[in-house]
Amino acid sequence: MNTPSRTGLVVGKFWPPHRGHQLLLETAAAQVTELVVLVYANPDSASQPAAVRADWLRMLYRGDDGSAGPRIGQTPLRIFVLSAAADGVPPDAADDTTQREFVRQWLVRQGIPVDVVFSSEAYGPGFAAHLSVAHVAVDNARRQVPVSGTRVRANPAEHAAFLHPLVAAQLGVVPPASVPRVVFLGAESSGKSTLCAALAEACGTAWVPEYGRTLHEQKNGNLDYDDLLYIARRHAELEDEAAAQAHGVLFCDTNAATTALYSYYYFHRCDPALQAMAAVCGQRYAHTFVCAPTVPFEQDGWRGPEALRSFQHGMILMQLDYFGIPFTLVEGTVAERVAQVRAALGA
């Protein structure tokens, strides 16, 4: 039996998108078959305009198949950017009736009927009534996610815990970690994965495999430019998930900075959002280790030629120097490398 279609509506500044916005969107998406999201403010931000904020939302809800567009679960998101110049967005200070009527007329002009409004604000019921649709309130009291866009704008660092890593990086901050994160960098076939697994076993904790490798295999080696930012985003999310299972320390295979290098290597460019994620790697990880490319090279069908290892190693070292990130070089057998890492971390 087919479920009747139901279109939801969420309106907001998303300046910037925070965990409260994500709770709102994800709650709404679970109850509708399509979710319309309007992003606007008047006056708007000069440094983070609505178009940029909408792109952050699209990045946050892009799945493995980026061509399908943003979605939450099986619910597609239709994200629209509105402006004062193009759409006649009223000033933020305008009265409620003006704001409600503006949205009503915009929906009519676009031919978009909606069935339910979702909001986390006191204006929600009156707004929905003006549109003659149902209303669902989501965490109005801010008990689940005690934050607001106003607070984040005032002090991003203080409220970084309520930001997704991708969004936080655009603001130059890093969400606090529940356990210290230790990252391992290195050229292809330099022993990062083997070392992470050995350390996790020796220390009784968790480790995070390189997500770029996972997606690379899933797509049979045919990565697109947009995949590189997605890889960095998903890897950060997987780190956050693994941190909940870690004991004392979390070992991470690769970081966003290396993903940015691959973006330049394969596509000769790098998304600004990925550049921002790379730039905060020095804050995100408590210690950085670089695996020397001295172990026997293993060609598994997914790697470049062995001659490339030396170049990759040099680029990683150059990038660490550029970002001013201190690191420890590890060499030798797996056992010797484990001992070197544990000694550097104080075991």
Side-chain angles (χ1 to χ4, degrees):
M1 178 173 162
N2 293 330
T3 302
S5 62
R6 191 168 183 240
T7 299
L9 173 67
V10 172
V11 174
K13 296 178 182 177
F14 300 95
W15 183 3
H18 53 67
R19 295 292 189 185
H21 292 129
Q22 291 189 257
L23 174 65
L24 173 62
L25 294 173
E26 290 161 17
T27 301
Q31 300 180 45
V32 297
T33 51
E34 178 185 64
L35 185 59
V36 174
V37 182
L38 306 187
V39 182
Y40 63 88
N42 182 14
D44 204 1
S45 167
S47 59
Q48 302 158 16
V52 170
R53 304 193 303 271
D55 278 343
W56 291 350
L57 291 176
R58 294 186 184 99
M59 295 170 193
L60 288 178
Y61 292 110
R62 193 216 115 143
D64 283 353
D65 183 4
S67 62
R71 62 182 53 240
I72 299 175
Q74 297 302 311
T75 303
L77 303 185
R78 297 179 65 188
I79 301 173
F80 296 90
V81 178
L82 280 58
S83 70
D87 304 283
V89 170
D92 292 347
D95 61 85
D96 286 347
T97 299
T98 300
Q99 300 285 1
R100 295 164 182 172
E101 182 61 14
F102 163 72
V103 175
R104 189 192 69 79
Q105 291 186 20
W106 186 90
L107 291 170
V108 169
R109 290 197 302 271
Q110 301 299 317
I112 301 176
V114 299
D115 303 290
V116 55
V117 166
F118 296 84
S119 79
S120 298
E121 305 287 349
Y123 69 72
F127 177 37
H130 191 87
L131 300 182
S132 300
V133 301
H135 176 258
V136 175
V138 181
D139 195 28
N140 276 28
R142 301 292 196 274
R143 291 192 180 94
Q144 291 178 259
V145 187
V147 76
S148 68
T150 302
R151 292 179 186 175
V152 175
R153 290 195 297 276
N155 194 332
E158 181 178 343
H159 300 287
F162 300 107
L163 298 173
H164 185 285
L166 183 148
V167 176
Q170 315 313 305
L171 305 179
V173 298
V174 174
S178 56
V179 295
R181 302 182 190 200
V182 174
V183 66
F184 294 84
L185 309 179
E188 293 179 335
S189 190
S190 60
K192 302 188 310 299
S193 299
T194 301
L195 181 55
C196 281
L199 280 162
E201 181 177 359
C203 299
T205 189
W207 73 285
V208 184
E210 179 184 1
Y211 180 72
R213 170 63 180 258
T214 300
L215 189 64
H216 187 69
E217 293 183 9
Q218 287 178 359
K219 299 192 69 171
N220 198 31
N222 298 313
L223 292 179
D224 299 317
Y225 170 67
D226 291 338
D227 289 331
L228 276 295
L229 173 59
Y230 174 66
I231 286 168
R233 189 209 95 195
R234 279 297 297 141
H235 190 87
E237 291 170 346
L238 291 169
E239 285 185 4
D240 289 346
E241 293 169 14
Q245 311 299 321
H247 300 284
V249 64
L250 177 67
F251 297 114
C252 307
D253 179 353
T254 306
N255 62 10
T258 295
T259 304
L261 282 180
Y262 277 106
S263 183
Y264 283 110
Y265 175 73
Y266 286 117
F267 302 103
H268 305 159
R269 56 192 174 126
C270 183
D271 191 292
L274 177 51
Q275 292 176 348
M277 293 187 74
V280 297
C281 281
Q283 302 171 53
R284 184 171 177 83
Y285 302 97
H287 203 117
T288 298
F289 291 92
V290 177
C291 295
T294 52
V295 297
F297 182 80
E298 294 183 11
Q299 179 53 267
D300 57 7
W302 299 103
R303 293 171 173 146
E306 181 177 2
L308 190 60
R309 282 205 303 179
S310 179
F311 174 76
Q312 291 172 335
H313 181 67
M315 290 301 294
I316 289 168
L317 297 181
M318 182 188 75
Q319 188 185 54
L320 290 170
D321 285 343
Y322 176 80
F323 284 127
I325 299 174
F327 64 91
T328 301
L329 185 70
V330 292
E331 302 180 85
T333 65
V334 174
E336 289 170 339
R337 294 182 178 204
V338 167
Q340 291 166 30
V341 171
R342 298 191 72 178
L345 296 179

